[in-house]
Amino acid sequence: MTEKTPLHDIIAARIAQQGRITFADFMGACLYEPGLGYYTSAGRKVGAEGDFYTSITVHAAFGRVIAREIAQMWRCMDTPADFTLVECGAGNGRLACDIMDFLAEREPEMYRGLRLVLVEKEPSLEAAQRDMLAAHVGRLEWLAPEEFAAGGFTFSGCLYSNELIDALPVHRVLRTPEGLRELYVTLKEGEFVDEIGELSTPAIAEHLQRVAVELHTGQQAEVNLNGPEWLAAASHALRRGFLLTVDYGYPAEELYTPLRKTGTLLCYYRHQTEENPYIRLGLQDITAHVDFTSLIKRGEELGLQKVWFGEQYRFLMSAGIIEELEELECSSMSDEEKLRLRLTLKKLIVPQGGMGDTFRVLVQSKGVADPKLLCQRRIGF
Ligand SMILES: C[S@@+](CC[C@H](N)C(=O)[O-])C[C@H]1O[C@@H](n2cnc3c(N)ncnc32)[C@H](O)[C@@H]1O
């Protein structure tokens, strides 16, 4: 039975009016309907009291390693006097705080000309970000996603995001013997159900062509048109510098392998996974793994060079997590605390099954000749 959350009637009314809606519209309402969506309603989402963990909640070392790489980006750009950091999908500001703390402490020259622009779909998170980043308040600015997408904002520096793209609404498709079809959402006897129809937009087939994917008959998958669209806005905003995207996902050939017959759509509710997106509307998170090939290819069309792409554990190892660990351990920690720290950081980098493997990092650049980043260092593994 579908639980009748307040969102249920709103979505049901839309379906009654239109006959059916795309899964992307359904997911968009479940996550972002003002005041009622998963991300746009009250309550902790991330961490022990929420529904899932992200790398940020594991340890500040994650943000500090990213900060090391950002400082290296600044050097690759010849240490400009002004450098802008932009975080999209900034949540409660935890990652931004870890990055800013590191830069204030270790990179005073860079920090002097630093500003941080926070872009977050849920406006009420601004208060949490203001509290979290109180030590850096003079450097903070906020920008609504709509303004970011509108094209008036430009900057030079680095735009980073953690688990943004997987939270953008996706279309669902199915390869039938007659060709590629879309899975819509409709209502049957009061329950939300799938309905197969023609593609709602030719952009879906174009997207799969761009990443050279042909689904097998019977194979179901997700297509994220919002990711490349967001990248176009990001690329437009970036005059010179870098984009750093962290998320879970795969290159297209791995994401759309025929072995993955039903796609990667997954819901999270209180640290349990759930396959049915048609329950607990607005109360459970809905995500799909990111197709990194589409971000790389779209980026190339937009004038963004791929600098580095790989697993999070490789990124963290090359960019300085061992140095972070060594520095943390130098302080007056007991042996038990040191062990606990090592076990915690292991979660971020363990290659098999941990966050280090499923999560990928993509670094793209614009207008920086032959950058030498920390993640490009050769490490013996
Ligand atoms: C999975 S959460 C990740 C939050 C945080 N980055 C972390 O790792 O803990 C995704 C966040 O992206 C925000 N978001 C979704 N679409 C966005 C957009 N177009 N621009 C900015 N933020 C967006 C959501 O409101 C949510 O806070």
Side-chain angles (χ1 to χ4, degrees), residues 31-32 38-40 45-47 52-57 62 87-95 118-123 125 129 143-146 148-149 160-169 226 230 246-248 285-287 359:
L31 298 185
Y32 302 113
Y38 180 75
Y39 284 110
T40 44
K45 317 295 178 196
V46 188
F52 56 92
Y53 292 103
T54 70
S55 298
I56 297 158
T57 45
F62 177 74
E87 179 169 353
C88 282
N92 66 3
R94 178 77 257 172
L95 176 59
L118 296 154
V119 187
E120 169 52 59
K121 184 124 177 153
E122 171 45 31
L125 285 169
Q129 293 161 357
L143 189 71
E146 299 71 34
F148 178 77
Y160 65 92
S161 66
N162 184 59
E163 294 202 35
L164 167 73
I165 312 288
D166 75 75
L168 301 178
N226 286 303
W230 171 84
V246 185
D247 219 315
Y248 46 90
D285 190 17
I286 310 177
T287 77
F359 282 75

Side-chain angles (χ1 to χ4, degrees), residues 16-17 36 42 49-50 56 100 135 143 172 197 202 206 221 242 261 264 294 302 321 327 340 344 360:
Q17 205 178 35
L36 297 173
E49 297 153 37
I56 297 158
M100 293 297 277
L143 189 71
R172 292 177 101 183
E206 285 160 17
F242 295 86
K261 291 193 166 48
T264 62
S294 71
L302 295 160
I321 198 147
E327 284 173 19
R340 209 174 303 135
T344 303
R360 311 273 155 137

Side-chain angles (χ1 to χ4, degrees), residues 16 44 60 68 71 83 152-153 184 187 197-198 206 219 271 292 297 304 329 333 354:
R44 291 281 305 261
R68 284 172 187 257
F83 190 90
F153 167 74
Y184 291 81
L187 266 175
E198 296 294 325
E206 285 160 17
Q219 192 180 355
H271 297 279
F292 277 99
K297 294 225 164 176
L304 296 169
E329 285 194 347
M333 256 185 186

Side-chain angles (χ1 to χ4, degrees), residues 241-291:
F242 295 86
L243 296 183
L244 188 154
T245 306
V246 185
D247 219 315
Y248 46 90
Y250 304 102
E253 59 175 300
E254 225 179 302
L255 180 67
Y256 294 114
T257 162
L259 299 173
R260 211 183 298 284
K261 291 193 166 48
T262 53
T264 62
L265 196 91
L266 213 51
C267 310
Y268 289 88
Y269 182 69
R270 299 191 179 150
H271 297 279
Q272 304 279 331
T273 54
E274 164 63 56
E275 287 185 4
N276 186 357
Y278 297 143
I279 58 173
R280 300 192 197 103
L281 307 194
L283 302 179
Q284 63 178 9
D285 190 17
I286 310 177
T287 77
H289 281 48
V290 171
D291 165 9

Side-chain angles (χ1 to χ4, degrees), residues 199-209 225:
L199 297 183
S200 58
T201 159
I204 294 174
E206 285 160 17
H207 178 100
L208 291 174
Q209 269 161 19
L225 298 179

Side-chain angles (χ1 to χ4, degrees), residues 60-115:
F62 177 74
R64 294 176 69 85
V65 176
I66 291 181
R68 284 172 187 257
E69 190 65 284
I70 290 172
Q72 181 67 13
M73 291 171 177
W74 173 70
R75 291 196 175 85
C76 292
M77 292 170 70
D78 300 324
T79 64
D82 300 314
F83 190 90
T84 299
L85 276 178
V86 181
E87 179 169 353
C88 282
N92 66 3
R94 178 77 257 172
L95 176 59
C97 182
D98 294 337
I99 292 174
M100 293 297 277
D101 285 353
F102 179 95
L103 296 175
E105 183 189 310
R106 301 293 182 84
E107 302 285 350
E109 192 193 333
M110 179 187 181
Y111 186 76
R112 263 196 296 282
L114 195 61
R115 73 169 171 150

